[in-house]
Amino acid sequence: MIRVGPDDFDAAAELAALHARAGDAGAVATFTGHVRGEDGLAALILEHYPAMTEREIARHAAEAERRWPLLGVTVIHRVGRLVPGARIVFVAVAAHHRRAAFEACEFLMDYLKVHAPFWKQEERVGGTSWVEAKTSDDDAAERWRR
Amino acid sequence: MIRVGPDDFDAAAELAALHARAGDAGAVATFTGHVRGEDGLAALILEHYPAMTEREIARHAAEAERRWPLLGVTVIHRVGRLVPGARIVFVAVAAHHRRAAFEACEFLMDYLKVHAPFWKQEERVGGTSWVEAKTSDDDAAERWRR
Amino acid sequence: MLYFAWVRQKVGRSEERLDLPAGIATVRALAEFLERRGGGYAQAFADLKRLRAAVNQEHVPFDSALAADDEVAFFPPVTGG
Amino acid sequence: MLYFAWVRQKVGRSEERLDLPAGIATVRALAEFLERRGGGYAQAFADLKRLRAAVNQEHVPFDSALAADDEVAFFPPVTGG
């Protein structure tokens, strides 16, 4: 299940839905990302390329299913204006075993945080500015290359 | 928050409670383990050494907090008779960044699955038998040694 | 064409349709054509090293060929979610 | 002493108190003492390689020293949760 849009989500309900769908999953790993209120951030404003985002996330979810024996994947990503504390991303992966669930969940998060077609603005008291692409995150995604 | 006992838990509520407690956490990684109904398993029956379990889990949670900059940790483990599909373990870790949250969550799960003082019986149509300690899980926990 | 982030802001729109001008056969040539429009376009396309492109929702290098009816998008390097 | 898993089943109880017999100074000596009780104890303690021990809720090797009022536990290797 992949969803990208402005609406908030209920991590609990998504976790339950994934587990129900995944059948005999022994392991469910999840990641929930929240906007951090560092350095006086008032909000993050996320823009994306809708047709490309859904297509690319689906492609990476399929890639995760090729690499690991998975029973289900949920990816939810929000866009629009998000204030500190707000949920921004949720990835949940069900598998028979914990290692596959953890690794696939990290793989999808590294992809989303680095290569997914999102652009972020930081809104502060002094104004709003575009976030530059980061190199350390790039390194995180690079480790999955092969 | 550490809890070991027969009662089921609400992963959603625990996730929300952890995030509320953790302040400005950008990252929350969770793991939920369920009993798998493989090979005609009717139930798992878990026994533990209560005084030692809580003490050891607390020691490993403290070790995780030394190794990674964490904002909160929740560990829930059930004991008693658990049928396939039942939740058995929940670990949630809040941190500023995703890498620390994922690694600490895996570290705690590897500990719980290998070294925590639990003993399991498998109940099947033919009878009930004790589970032997496994080597592959040992390897998983070994990687955190240093 | 689709424009995102500060490219969108500089050109002043998020999308537009364009019949491929004669002699424009690559993404780079299209970007240079847009730069020659001047104003916000000139600012947005002044330095292609700061830009990325996609054709039909796939990331592409600037030397990729273009065909009629392609959906071309210009944007800064993605910053992820 | 506390007994867990099949050790508990073989000895037929989960805990008991014992005044440390004279000459029993280590966990190993205590296990051998218990084995000499015969019956389920003999079965449970026949092969110490299949057993693990804890003193006061800490895993210990069988050669660890014992003191009065120690809480000693015998159990198979843990299988985790």
Side-chain angles (χ1 to χ4, degrees), chain B residues 6-43:
Chain B
D7 298 341
D8 196 9
F9 54 85
D10 178 347
E14 300 298 341
L15 186 60
L18 173 66
H19 188 253
R21 214 165 66 230
D24 192 32
V28 183
T30 77
F31 182 87
T32 312
H34 295 258
V35 176
R36 292 192 299 138
E38 51 183 352
D39 307 329
L41 185 80

Side-chain angles (χ1 to χ4, degrees), chain C residues 4-26:
Chain C
F4 294 99
W6 55 254
V7 180
R8 170 180 56 73
Q9 290 181 319
K10 285 187 197 293
V11 305
R13 62 183 67 185
S14 60
E15 58 180 291
E16 63 181 311
R17 289 195 59 86
L18 181 78
D19 290 324
L20 206 59
I24 303 294
T26 66

Side-chain angles (χ1 to χ4, degrees), chain C residues 17 19 39 42 45 50 68 72 75-76:
Chain C
R17 289 195 59 86
D19 290 324
F45 290 95
R50 298 185 62 209
V72 184
F75 42 78

Side-chain angles (χ1 to χ4, degrees), chain C residues 3-81:
Chain C
Y3 307 113
F4 294 99
W6 55 254
V7 180
R8 170 180 56 73
Q9 290 181 319
K10 285 187 197 293
V11 305
R13 62 183 67 185
S14 60
E15 58 180 291
E16 63 181 311
R17 289 195 59 86
L18 181 78
D19 290 324
L20 206 59
I24 303 294
T26 66
V27 176
R28 183 184 307 279
L30 175 60
E32 287 164 358
F33 170 84
L34 291 168
E35 186 192 3
R36 286 195 295 275
R37 282 181 173 175
Y41 284 93
Q43 284 177 36
F45 290 95
D47 181 3
L48 291 190
K49 282 196 295 296
R50 298 185 62 209
L51 293 188
R52 298 292 180 271
V55 172
N56 301 325
Q57 299 115 40
E58 299 269 7
H59 290 284
V60 296
F62 279 100
D63 295 324
S64 299
L66 284 182
D69 296 324
D70 276 348
E71 176 180 300
V72 184
F74 292 105
F75 42 78
V78 303
T79 45

Side-chain angles (χ1 to χ4, degrees), chain B residues 91-140:
Chain B
V91 171
V93 175
H96 283 304
H97 297 288
R98 71 185 183 284
R99 190 69 60 219
F102 273 123
E103 289 189 357
C105 190
E106 278 203 80
F107 167 81
L108 288 169
M109 275 308 306
D110 283 349
Y111 160 68
L112 288 167
K113 294 289 287 184
V114 185
H115 293 301
F118 293 101
W119 296 275
K120 282 185 290 216
Q121 282 177 286
E122 289 177 347
E123 183 185 312
R124 296 172 196 278
V125 174
T128 296
S129 59
W130 291 99
V131 175
E132 298 276 325
K134 274 187 299 189
T135 321
S136 75
D137 268 340
D138 256 327
D139 296 342

Side-chain angles (χ1 to χ4, degrees), chain B residues 57-76:
Chain B
I57 295 176
R59 193 161 61 80
H60 283 80
E63 167 76 12
E65 289 179 339
R66 256 196 311 278
R67 289 190 181 205
W68 293 279
L70 306 183
L71 296 167
V73 171
T74 294
V75 175
I76 299 173

